[in-house]
């Protein structure tokens, strides 16, 4: 593993100005093209509101595309020399909350095995920090921890504790450990229950932290593994194949005020303890109470105190699991949405760096983009109906409409296509089965995500509506590994989308039949949403489709995890039989 070469001081501000200019330019061009839709002079308030919504949505779309394009041009730069191993002590923290203890503790055992193999187990302790609220699951945790302790008795030290009251949720769980035991360690690697990090990566993270005394946090880019359903494997392929470019772009853009995603990262214990005490927001949830999306806030607090927060995309060996169906994805997304909208109260917090505020705005916009596109579609349809003209494409105005459509498609597809082309030349595609297979996977991924986009738009719009009307989504536990959904579950989850789409279709057919063709790519997936949700939750397609390097050659740490888990379950069955 190698470390990226340092950037000059003027690079990051220049890149930030470039991305802002690229995004705004695309938004302005799109707005001018939108104005070109309307043949008559002047713009009434409906058309104006539609144009503003489109401008903001397109600017956000261009921002994301710009980050990906930036990353493409920065990949493969000459790396710096990896520093020597650290001499300080590192705590590996594994917060859990009503998880499957066998799977979670097997990941810990696999990391212990790797550290023992490298001969560095004496410098790493692993602490499992339970916030489990179920007494039955807590009893299982105690049993599986005994199994883990026997596995690790000759190697790295493992600890387990369960909080009686899970105040502050995950952030409070970490804070509790740091308050009680943080002084014994120089660094802390913070994981999630589904995180799996190779021992070589843990050693490299600690070494880089020790070699850079001004760095408070180093974030890795977790790669998704263990996807089984069609939904899970598409998420896994997309995250792994595209992430290198987008992560490189993010690292270049954010510089020393980089992102923190809450897991698979290492922090300097002293810096984190002194800087990252989180406030409890005044008022009741959803806008008050504990900060749910605490990771970006902690990164901002570190930067405020002068610590560098860096993203190191070159650090491999960092893994996590993804959701296996859209229902689980939406449940997690609802929590993130509420947490990100809390940033509205933090944008004007004192002494924050400017770019930290920009990151908060990005977090807000990542969810507000959905209602903006929804508003654009609704207002444009109303404006077209009021004008008594052909919806969207007027016979005398096809040029601007086609150009705007091409602009949206280019922003969505251009980064993907350039990543595909680069992979064909630099050999990356061979890791995914070859350029031919990658091309088919990319095309299928685009078709699938395009079909799911209207469904996710509605899911996020409902989440924002719930939050704005005072409904607290809380912190639901994650059902990891769940996959196949039955039709009843699918209908309960998205049946309301079908009802909305059916009503909207009737209104469009009756009042503006010329709009049916243009709105069908949005309405048809909504009408089919229960089928799409259920169908994508099961295994579909050939094994080579959406294949990733980790499937073609399983990482050693994942092999250790499977080996440990299989042996434990055999022991458990034998004990149950006796």
């Amino acid at each position: 593993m190698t470390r990226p070469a340092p950037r000059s001081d003027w690079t990051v501000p220049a890149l930030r100005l470039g991305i802002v200019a690229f995004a705004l330019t695309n938004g302005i061009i799109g707005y001018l093209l939108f104005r070109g839709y309307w043949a008559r002079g002047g713009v009434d308030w409906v058309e104006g509101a539609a144009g503003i919504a489109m401008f903001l949505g397109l600017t956000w779309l261009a921002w994301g595309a710009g980050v990906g394009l930036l990353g493409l041009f920065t990949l493969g730069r000459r790396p710096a020399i990896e520093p020597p191993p650290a001499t300080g002590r590192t705590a590996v923290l594994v917060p859990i909350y009503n998880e499957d203890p066998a799977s979670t503790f097997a990941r810990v055992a696999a990391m212990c095995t790797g550290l023992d193999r490298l001969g560095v187990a004496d410098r790493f302790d692993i602490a499992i920090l339970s916030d489990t609220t179920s007494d039955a699951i807590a009893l299982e945790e105690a049993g599986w921890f005994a199994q883990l302790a026997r596995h690790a008795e000759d190697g790295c030290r493992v600890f387990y504790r369960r909080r009686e009251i899970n105040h502050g949720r995950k952030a409070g769980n970490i804070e509790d450990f740091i308050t009680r035991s943080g002084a014994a360690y120089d660094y802390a690697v913070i994981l999630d229950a589904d995180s799996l990090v190779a021992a070589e990566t843990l050693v490299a993270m600690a070494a880089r932290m020790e070699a850079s005394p001004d760095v408070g946090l180093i974030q890795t880019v977790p790669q998704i593994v263990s996807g089984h359903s069609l939904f899970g494997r598409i998420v896994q392929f997309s995250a792994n194949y595209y992430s290198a470019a987008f992560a490189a772009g993010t690292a270049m853009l954010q510089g020393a005020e980089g992102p923190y995603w809450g897991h698979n990262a290492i922090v300097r214990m002293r810096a984190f303890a002194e800087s990252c005490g989180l406030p409890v927001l005044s008022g009741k949830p959803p806008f008050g109470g504990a900060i749910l999306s605490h990771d970006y806030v902690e990164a901002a607090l570190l930067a405020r105190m002068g610590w560098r927060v860096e993203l190191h995309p070159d650090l491999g060996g960092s893994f996590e699991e993804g959701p296996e169906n859209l229902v689980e994805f939406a449940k997690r997304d609802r929590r993130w949405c509420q947490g990100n909208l809390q940033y509205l109260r933090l944008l004007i917090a004192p002494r924050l760096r400017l770019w930290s505020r920009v990151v908060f705005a990005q977090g807000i916009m990542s969810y507000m983009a959905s209602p903006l596109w929804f508003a654009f579609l609704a207002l444009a349809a109303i404006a077209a109906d009021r004008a008594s003209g052909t919806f969207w494409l007027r016979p005398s105005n096809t040029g601007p409409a086609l150009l705007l459509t091409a602009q949206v498609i280019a922003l969505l597809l251009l980064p993907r296509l350039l990543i595909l082309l680069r992979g064909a030349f630099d050999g990356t595609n061979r890791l995914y089965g070859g350029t031919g297979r990658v091309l088919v996977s990319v095309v299928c991924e685009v078709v699938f995500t395009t079909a799911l986009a209207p469904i996710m738009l509605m899911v996020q719009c409902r989440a924002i509506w719930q939050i704005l009307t005072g409904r607290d989504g809380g912190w639901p536990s994650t059902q990891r590994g769940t996959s196949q959904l039955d039709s009843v579950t699918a209908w309960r989850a998205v049946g309301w989308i079908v009802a909305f789409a059916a009503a909207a279709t009737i209104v469009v057919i009756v009042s503006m039949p010329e709009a049916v063709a243009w709105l069908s790519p949005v309405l048809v997936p909504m009408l089919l949403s229960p089928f799409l949700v259920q169908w994508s939750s099961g295994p579909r397609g050939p094994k080579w489709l959406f294949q990733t390097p980790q499937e073609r050659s399983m990482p050693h740490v994942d092999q250790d995890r499977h080996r440990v888990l299989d042996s434990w379950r055999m022991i458990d069955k034998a004990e149950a039989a006796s």
Side-chain angles (χ1 to χ4, degrees):
M1 289 175 291
T2 51
R3 186 179 180 184
R7 298 178 292 274
S8 57
D9 291 340
W10 60 268
T11 303
V12 172
L15 291 175
R16 291 173 177 175
L17 287 174
I19 290 293
V20 170
F22 177 78
L24 289 177
T25 299
N26 272 274
I28 292 169
I29 291 172
Y31 179 78
L32 294 176
L33 291 172
F34 172 80
R35 286 286 303 270
Y37 281 158
W38 310 104
R40 58 193 170 86
V43 175
D44 64 16
W45 73 268
V46 177
E47 295 170 3
I52 292 172
M54 188 278 308
F55 166 77
L56 293 174
L58 197 58
T59 300
W60 174 247
L61 197 63
W63 183 281
V67 172
L69 295 174
L70 172 63
L72 276 169
F73 291 108
T74 57
L75 283 174
R77 290 196 169 193
R78 185 173 59 84
I81 298 174
E82 193 69 38
T87 58
R89 293 189 55 76
T90 301
V92 180
L93 309 183
V94 187
I96 58 176
Y97 177 66
N98 295 327
E99 310 282 348
D100 172 21
S103 298
T104 302
F105 288 33
R107 296 185 188 96
V108 174
M111 289 185 281
C112 281
T113 298
L115 292 169
D116 293 341
R117 188 183 296 130
L118 292 180
V120 295
D122 60 321
R123 296 201 295 272
F124 291 84
D125 293 345
I126 301 183
I128 300 170
L129 311 177
S130 175
D131 259 357
T132 292
T133 55
S134 166
D135 290 336
I137 296 178
L139 187 61
E140 290 184 51
E141 289 176 358
W144 286 110
F145 180 72
Q147 191 73 261
L148 171 63
R150 286 192 293 269
H151 175 90
E153 61 185 355
D154 295 325
C156 65
R157 297 194 302 171
V158 293
F159 303 92
Y160 168 85
R161 73 101 173 93
R162 180 190 176 202
R163 288 201 302 173
E164 295 294 328
I165 301 175
N166 58 346
H167 174 73
R169 300 187 172 92
K170 179 182 175 180
N173 199 356
I174 300 294
E175 182 180 356
D176 179 79
F177 175 86
I178 292 175
T179 301
R180 294 172 181 268
S181 307
Y185 299 96
D186 300 286
Y187 319 111
V189 175
I190 299 176
L191 304 180
D192 268 350
D194 62 346
S195 296
L196 186 65
V197 182
E200 294 83 357
T201 304
L202 293 172
V203 171
M205 293 165 74
R208 294 185 183 191
M209 184 64 75
E210 190 162 291
S212 304
D214 60 339
V215 172
L217 184 150
I218 295 174
Q219 173 70 61
T220 68
V221 181
Q223 296 171 308
I224 296 180
V225 295
S226 301
H228 300 291
S229 68
L230 176 63
F231 182 90
R233 298 195 72 237
I234 290 176
V235 170
Q236 176 177 281
F237 171 80
S238 303
N240 290 349
Y241 188 65
Y242 304 133
S243 64
F246 284 92
T250 300
M252 290 294 292
L253 185 65
Q254 295 197 212
E257 297 158 284
Y260 171 41
W261 298 321
H263 58 93
N264 293 44
I266 187 169
V267 301
R268 189 177 302 277
M269 189 67 81
R270 179 172 65 86
F272 204 79
E274 292 176 351
S275 307
C276 295
L278 293 177
V280 176
L281 299 178
S282 60
K284 296 180 179 180
F287 287 101
I291 297 174
L292 298 186
S293 296
H294 56 87
D295 38 19
Y296 277 13
V297 180
E298 288 160 341
L301 293 175
L302 281 169
R304 184 175 72 170
M305 296 299 291
W307 294 100
R308 294 179 63 87
V309 179
E310 298 183 349
L311 171 63
H312 288 192
D314 66 302
L315 270 172
S318 175
F319 308 103
E320 65 174 334
E321 294 183 7
E324 288 287 283
N325 56 65
L326 189 137
V327 173
E328 281 301 311
F329 180 89
K331 184 167 65 173
R332 184 176 65 175
D333 197 62
R334 171 63 172 82
R335 170 170 59 85
W336 289 346
C337 178
Q338 181 171 326
N340 283 21
L341 290 190
Q342 286 179 317
Y343 294 159
L344 289 165
R345 300 187 58 183
L346 302 176
L347 281 171
I348 57 173
R351 295 171 41 226
L352 291 181
R353 299 285 184 88
L354 174 61
W355 199 253
S356 296
R357 302 182 198 276
V358 172
V359 170
F360 286 163
Q362 286 180 250
I364 296 166
M365 190 61 190
S366 65
Y367 288 95
M368 291 305 299
S370 288
L372 284 171
W373 283 114
F374 181 89
F376 166 68
L377 290 172
L379 291 169
I382 294 171
D385 182 57
R386 288 174 55 178
S388 300
T390 302
F391 178 80
W392 206 253
L393 281 177
R394 298 182 179 218
S396 61
N397 245 1
T398 57
L402 291 176
L403 287 173
L404 180 56
T405 302
Q407 183 185 11
V408 172
I409 292 174
L411 290 174
L412 289 171
L413 296 185
L414 186 59
R416 287 177 167 91
L417 294 177
L418 290 179
I419 291 170
L420 175 66
L421 289 174
R422 183 186 178 96
F425 287 102
D426 67 9
T428 299
N429 289 351
R430 287 198 295 271
L431 303 175
Y432 291 81
T435 298
R437 292 184 176 185
V438 171
L439 175 61
V440 176
S441 297
V442 168
V443 170
C444 292
E445 178 266 330
V446 169
V447 172
F448 182 77
T449 52
T450 300
L452 284 190
I455 302 172
M456 285 308 304
L457 180 145
M458 292 299 296
V459 168
Q460 291 186 342
C461 284
R462 184 176 75 160
I464 290 172
W465 173 256
Q466 290 173 340
I467 293 166
L468 293 178
T469 54
R471 181 173 173 181
D472 177 23
W475 192 297
S477 58
T478 301
Q479 302 300 315
R480 307 187 196 276
T482 56
S483 178
Q484 184 72 59
L485 301 174
D486 56 38
S487 58
V488 174
T489 303
W491 270 96
R492 285 176 178 171
V494 295
W496 63 276
I497 297 179
V498 177
F500 174 88
T505 300
I506 293 172
V507 170
V508 171
I509 291 174
V510 172
S511 62
M512 53 186 91
E514 66 278 359
V516 171
W518 285 99
L519 288 178
S520 59
V522 176
L523 295 175
V524 170
M526 291 183 187
L527 292 169
L528 298 176
S529 56
F531 168 76
L532 290 173
V533 169
Q534 181 187 8
W535 179 71
S536 64
S537 69
R540 300 286 185 272
K543 290 185 178 180
W544 59 263
L545 192 65
F546 307 119
Q547 197 169 61
T548 62
Q550 293 77 30
E551 290 178 317
R552 293 170 60 82
S553 178
M554 185 179 291
H556 291 304
V557 66
D558 208 12
Q559 294 178 27
D560 290 338
R561 176 181 73 91
H562 282 282
R563 186 161 46 247
V564 168
L565 187 57
D566 289 343
S567 66
W568 284 3
R569 283 176 172 163
M570 289 179 62
I571 295 172
D572 192 47
K573 287 181 180 178
E575 290 178 350
S578 62

